Amino acid sequence: MALTPMTAVAQDRSDEDIKRLALEAILERPEILMQAIQLLEQREAAAQRSAAADVLEQERDLLENDPNAPVLGNPDGDPVVVEFFDYNCPYCKRVAPDVKALVAGDEDLKVVYREWPILGEGSVFAARAALASREQGLYEPFHWALMELAGRANETTVMAAAEDVGLDTEKLRADMDAAEIDAHIETSMRLAQSLGFNGTPSFVIGDELVPGLVPLEQLENLVEAARQE
C-alpha cells in the first residue's frame, strides 16, 4: 500500500517527537487541554446517566413498592418520591421540613424512605430504631423527632426521642435486631451504589436522580414533572 506524504512523515517520527509536538501545541494553545478535559467529563457524565437510567428501569418496582420500606403520604399515590437519608446528615435535616411540607400539600404524593446510615455508629443505631418503630405504628412521628434532634443521633439521644413520642423502648430495642431491618439497610446500600449516589440526601423523583439538598420549590417542580410523565 502506498503511503501518503503525511503518513510517511508520521511514521518517521518517534514517539518522543509526537509527545514533544503535542506538548508544544498545548503550550501554544492551553485551551486545547481544557476542551479535552471537558469532552472527557461530558462523555463520563453521559455514560453515568445511561447506566443510572438502566438501573432505575430495572429497580423501579423495588424503589417505589418495597413492602419493607417506610411510606409517608398516600400509600397508593402517584408520583413517588424516594429519599435516601441519614439522621446525622445536616443536609437531610435541612430538607426534612420541605419534604414534610411537600407531603402535607399533595394528597396524591407517595414518599418512600430508604434508611441509608453512612455517617457512623450513631446513624446505624438511629436507622435501626426508626425501622423498628414500625412495629408500634410510630415510624412517622419518630422519624420527624429524629430529624429535629439538636445534636447528633446516638443511642442516648435516639432513645430519649423514642420515649418522647411514646414508644415502648424495651420492645423497640428487641425489635431492632429483626432480619427485615438488616434487609432494608442492605438494600438501601445496594440501590444507592447502583444509582451512583455518594451522599445524603439523594432523591429519585420519577425518572430524575437528584443528589443533594433540594429546596421545596424545586421538589415541587420535580414532582409536577414526574406527574406529567
Side-chain angles (χ1 to χ4, degrees):
M1 181 179 68
L3 298 177
T4 66
M6 289 297 294
T7 305
V9 170
Q11 288 190 343
D12 287 342
R13 295 188 186 278
S14 68
D15 289 344
E16 289 302 317
D17 288 335
I18 294 171
K19 290 178 183 178
R20 178 177 54 78
L21 290 171
L23 179 58
E24 289 175 356
I26 291 172
L27 291 174
E28 290 176 5
R29 296 184 58 195
E31 67 272 16
I32 293 174
L33 182 58
M34 294 304 301
Q35 291 169 357
I37 292 173
Q38 290 172 356
L39 181 60
L40 179 60
E41 290 176 344
Q42 290 170 0
R43 288 178 176 174
E44 289 179 347
Q48 290 173 355
R49 286 194 298 271
S50 178
D54 290 343
V55 172
L56 186 55
E57 182 178 357
Q58 296 165 7
E59 303 287 6
R60 173 80 69 182
D61 187 58
L62 180 61
L63 280 163
E64 297 185 352
N65 301 302
D66 183 2
N68 193 25
V71 172
L72 271 61
N74 185 344
D76 300 314
D78 181 63
V80 181
V81 173
V82 183
E83 181 185 359
F84 291 75
F85 70 95
D86 184 304
Y87 287 113
N88 276 320
C89 165
Y91 301 107
C92 297
K93 290 186 176 184
R94 284 173 58 185
V95 82
D98 289 341
V99 175
K100 193 173 187 179
L102 193 68
V103 173
D106 191 337
E107 63 183 12
D108 294 321
L109 186 67
K110 175 181 178 180
V111 176
V112 178
Y113 275 133
R114 298 277 3 157
E115 302 267 354
W116 188 25
I118 56 175
L119 297 175
E121 292 182 5
S123 297
V124 174
F125 187 91
R128 298 189 73 89
L131 291 167
S133 72
R134 294 178 296 177
E135 293 297 317
Q136 299 182 52
L138 291 173
Y139 178 87
E140 184 170 357
F142 191 34
H143 169 78
W144 297 128
L146 293 176
M147 279 298 180
E148 293 166 6
L149 286 175
R152 285 188 61 81
N154 55 42
E155 182 173 355
T156 300
T157 58
V158 167
M159 297 312 291
E163 290 184 0
D164 288 343
V165 300
L167 282 159
D168 179 335
T169 55
E170 185 175 344
K171 174 174 173 51
L172 185 71
R173 286 184 182 276
D175 291 338
M176 285 171 63
D177 292 328
E180 57 265 29
I181 292 178
D182 293 329
H184 175 97
I185 294 174
E186 288 169 5
T187 299
S188 294
M189 297 287 185
R190 181 182 65 78
L191 286 172
Q193 183 177 23
S194 297
L195 292 167
F197 292 146
N198 55 23
T200 54
S202 289
F203 297 88
V204 179
I205 304 176
D207 291 330
E208 296 294 326
L209 304 181
V210 191
L213 180 62
V214 185
L216 178 57
E217 183 178 0
Q218 186 178 349
L219 285 172
E220 291 172 337
N221 291 339
L222 287 164
V223 167
E224 189 57 34
R227 185 169 277 128
Q228 303 304 320
E229 291 175 356

